């Protein structure tokens, strides 16, 4: 509504992802080029091996000890993705258009791109049709995990998110609840 955009942070209890309307990303945005038909996107980040191949003791250890390559996981949908890819917790937030632009810029900077400016697609994601793994730019390690990445994305939108509790998904969602209204103002 006007200058207000509603987003959400999705959580399965351990991992967080951003639920965003696709139109906050310009038509030339690398993620939008990878999912041009999407109306809504769920965007998460993590260690390439652990996220793509699944959990396991050695993969988990490899993810947190040396810096590792990362991936951006995108689930594209025609409706809010959390309606069919259910979270254990969802925190809504209302952003101004300028804040949404800050978030879009952060997301563009987080994916590897090809010569045409499109995101480098590594393969299908874990959520069936419409989900993709994109090559990430940042390194994953024990001091920078998925919830730190989500907090950083929200800080790029101008929100006060990201305390020492960012290791925990609930810490990110609690910070978000304190720093942004949950919904856009009702039209008058």
């Amino acid at each position: 509504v006007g200058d207000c955009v509603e987003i959400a942070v999705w959580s399965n209890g351990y991992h967080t992802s951003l639920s965003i309307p696709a139109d906050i990303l310009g038509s030339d945005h690398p993620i939008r080029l990878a999912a041009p038909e999407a109306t809504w996107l769920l965007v998460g980040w993590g260690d390439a091996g652990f996220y793509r191949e699944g959990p396991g003791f050695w993969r988990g250890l490899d993810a947190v000890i040396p810096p590792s390559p990362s991936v951006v996981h995108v689930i594209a949908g025609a409706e809010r993705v959390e309606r069919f890819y259910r979270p254990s917790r969802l925190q809504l937030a209302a952003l101004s258009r300028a804040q949404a632009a800050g978030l879009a810029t952060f997301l563009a900077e987080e994916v590897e791109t090809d010569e045409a400016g499109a995101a480098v697609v590594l393969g299908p994601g874990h959520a069936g049709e419409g989900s993709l793994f994109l090559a990430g730019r940042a390194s994953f390690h024990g001091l920078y995990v998925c919830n730190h990445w989500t907090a950083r994305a929200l800080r790029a939108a101008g929100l006060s998110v990201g305390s020492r509790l960012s290791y925990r998904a609930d810490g990110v969602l609690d910070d978000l609840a304190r720093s942004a209204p949950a919904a856009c103002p009702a039209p008058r």
Side-chain angles (χ1 to χ4, degrees), residues 159-176:
L159 300 176
S160 179
V161 175
S163 66
R164 63 192 180 303
L165 298 177
S166 292
Y167 275 100
R168 295 178 39 250
D170 282 344
V172 175
L173 276 67
D174 292 345
D175 280 356
L176 179 59

Side-chain angles (χ1 to χ4, degrees), residues 50-76:
F50 191 86
Y51 212 163
R52 290 184 76 194
E53 297 169 32
F57 177 77
W58 294 113
R59 265 195 293 281
L61 190 60
D62 183 55
V64 297
I65 291 181
S68 305
S70 68
V71 291
V72 175
H73 188 234
V74 175
I75 304 172

Side-chain angles (χ1 to χ4, degrees), residues 45-48 67-72 106-107 109-112 134-141 144-145 148-149 152:
W45 177 87
D47 175 77
S68 305
S70 68
V71 291
V72 175
F106 173 85
L107 293 173
E109 293 169 351
E110 289 297 301
V111 295
E112 289 289 337
L134 309 176
R137 286 195 173 149
S139 292
F140 186 98
H141 51 82
Y144 190 65
V145 299
H148 294 120
W149 182 88
R152 224 174 118 221

Side-chain angles (χ1 to χ4, degrees), residues 49-156:
F50 191 86
Y51 212 163
R52 290 184 76 194
E53 297 169 32
F57 177 77
W58 294 113
R59 265 195 293 281
L61 190 60
D62 183 55
V64 297
I65 291 181
S68 305
S70 68
V71 291
V72 175
H73 188 234
V74 175
I75 304 172
E79 60 181 321
R80 292 183 85 106
V81 177
E82 60 269 17
R83 289 188 179 154
F84 61 87
Y85 197 70
R86 301 250 181 226
S88 63
R89 182 172 171 201
L90 189 73
Q91 179 60 51
L92 303 174
L95 306 180
S96 69
R97 292 274 171 195
Q99 288 174 311
L103 177 59
T105 298
F106 173 85
L107 293 173
E109 293 169 351
E110 289 297 301
V111 295
E112 289 289 337
T113 55
D114 62 19
E115 306 78 42
V120 174
V121 177
L122 299 175
H126 289 309
E129 189 177 332
S131 69
L132 302 166
F133 279 113
L134 309 176
R137 286 195 173 149
S139 292
F140 186 98
H141 51 82
L143 298 176
Y144 190 65
V145 299
C146 63
N147 298 322
H148 294 120
W149 182 88
T150 300
R152 224 174 118 221
L154 295 167
R155 284 195 306 275

